[in-house]
Amino acid sequence: MRIPFTKAHGARNDFLLTWAHEAPRDRLAEAAVAICDRHTGVGADGWLLVSPPAAGRAAAIRLFNPDGGEVEMSGNGTRCAAAFLIDAGLAESQLEIQTGGGLKRLRMLRRDGERFEFEMNMGRAAVEEERATVQGWDATILNVGNPQCAVFVSDFGFDWRTAGMAIERDSRFPNRTNVSFVRVVDGHTIEVRFWERGAGETMSSGTGSTGAMAAAAARGEVRSPVRVETPAGPLELREEDGEILLVGPAEIVAAGEFYA
């Protein structure tokens, strides 16, 4: 079987995108593991199955992590899907995409060839525990369309990857969680490292950045607007009427077929 794909990344958080009708009809988890493998597959932080808008319905995406698990959404991945739809002539500069974490609205701010910049409404953050202790770490537990655990640290001079792996699978998270390690720089800036559920370390994360900002704001550490410094570069976020808007890039870099 051959699976067509387009590869894109949002701030170096990379995804493979396939039209839903061109994907296998079954064994999707197995296919996701194979296509996302960085040694024997194409390699990506996730596989997106994209359904174009039709009959008054918004475009829709399903997201599979490299471990084969289907999850609610990715902020960076949703921007990549928006670029994919616009590039195919199936969406205008303002569009809606239905995700497992709800309907998301995006607005293209600029385009230069296959490089895009979008403003995306990430929705409202639901803070579940403002101050919690998880695996011995000071954390805020919340949901931004997917589960997040924001851990507050003074620096990154420790094995945060091992800590992230343990927190992801802590017994208090039966469906596992995404983990962000947050260092507050000043009242409008935070620096973050990401450990994503089912993917491990990623260079950036849209939902992780949203969760980190919302957690820091809930603690009174920052106020809107907030610049999130990631290993892949900055993301800009602000709050309007309780909803968080994120500005970030998406770039289409390749296309081909995977021999499943």
Side-chain angles (χ1 to χ4, degrees):
M1 176 182 292
R2 299 188 176 195
I3 301 175
F5 70 86
T6 293
K7 184 162 185 174
H9 73 94
R12 301 185 72 180
N13 189 194
D14 59 336
F15 298 89
L16 301 172
L17 302 102
T18 298
W19 296 116
H21 67 274
E22 295 182 339
R25 294 187 177 181
D26 53 18
R27 301 174 70 180
L28 289 173
E30 184 178 322
V33 172
I35 198 170
C36 290
D37 189 285
R38 295 193 181 276
H39 300 284
T40 59
V42 183
D45 291 327
W47 184 35
L48 286 160
L49 303 187
V50 183
S51 298
R57 295 192 305 271
I61 54 176
R62 296 175 65 185
L63 172 60
F64 291 85
N65 276 340
D67 67 352
E70 185 172 1
V71 295
E72 299 88 351
M73 63 168 290
S74 161
N76 291 338
T78 304
R79 293 199 314 277
C80 289
F84 185 54
L85 287 159
I86 291 173
D87 191 61
L90 295 172
E92 303 295 333
S93 60
Q94 297 195 52
L95 66 158
E96 295 181 337
I97 299 179
Q98 184 68 52
T99 76
L103 184 68
K104 302 302 174 183
R105 295 178 175 86
L106 300 97
R107 178 167 64 96
M108 185 176 70
L109 301 178
R110 58 186 57 88
R111 178 180 185 179
D112 180 10
E114 299 304 321
R115 296 179 179 178
F116 299 75
E117 185 176 58
F118 291 97
E119 178 183 78
M120 176 175 170
N121 188 324
M122 301 296 293
R124 296 176 181 269
V127 177
E128 298 169 4
E129 288 188 58
E130 183 180 313
R131 294 185 182 271
T133 301
V134 183
Q135 296 280 324
W137 296 93
D138 176 28
T140 294
I141 298 170
L142 66 165
N143 193 292
V144 295
N146 61 17
Q148 297 285 333
C149 181
V151 178
F152 287 81
V153 298
S154 58
D155 59 63
F156 302 110
F158 63 97
D159 188 357
W160 59 266
R161 298 168 182 86
T162 297
M165 187 184 303
I167 294 169
E168 174 195 354
R169 298 176 178 275
D170 187 89
S171 60
R172 71 186 298 155
F173 306 117
N175 296 318
R176 296 186 289 164
T177 190
N178 299 287
V179 186
S180 57
F181 294 92
V182 185
R183 184 179 77 88
V184 177
V185 177
D186 57 42
H188 292 284
T189 312
I190 55 177
E191 186 179 3
V192 187
R193 298 292 182 271
F194 305 98
W195 182 269
E196 295 205 299
R197 173 183 53 166
E201 178 184 2
T202 59
M203 298 290 286
S204 71
S205 169
T207 53
S209 295
T210 302
M213 172 198 170
R219 290 174 170 235
E221 299 280 359
V222 300
R223 58 192 181 279
S224 178
V226 174
R227 183 181 180 92
V228 180
E229 299 283 358
T230 81
L235 294 173
E236 306 292 340
L237 295 92
R238 72 182 191 279
E239 185 177 347
E240 287 187 4
D241 300 324
E243 298 193 330
I244 297 173
L245 302 177
L246 181 153
V247 173
E251 182 178 2
I252 296 172
V253 297
E257 289 184 327
F258 173 65
Y259 304 153

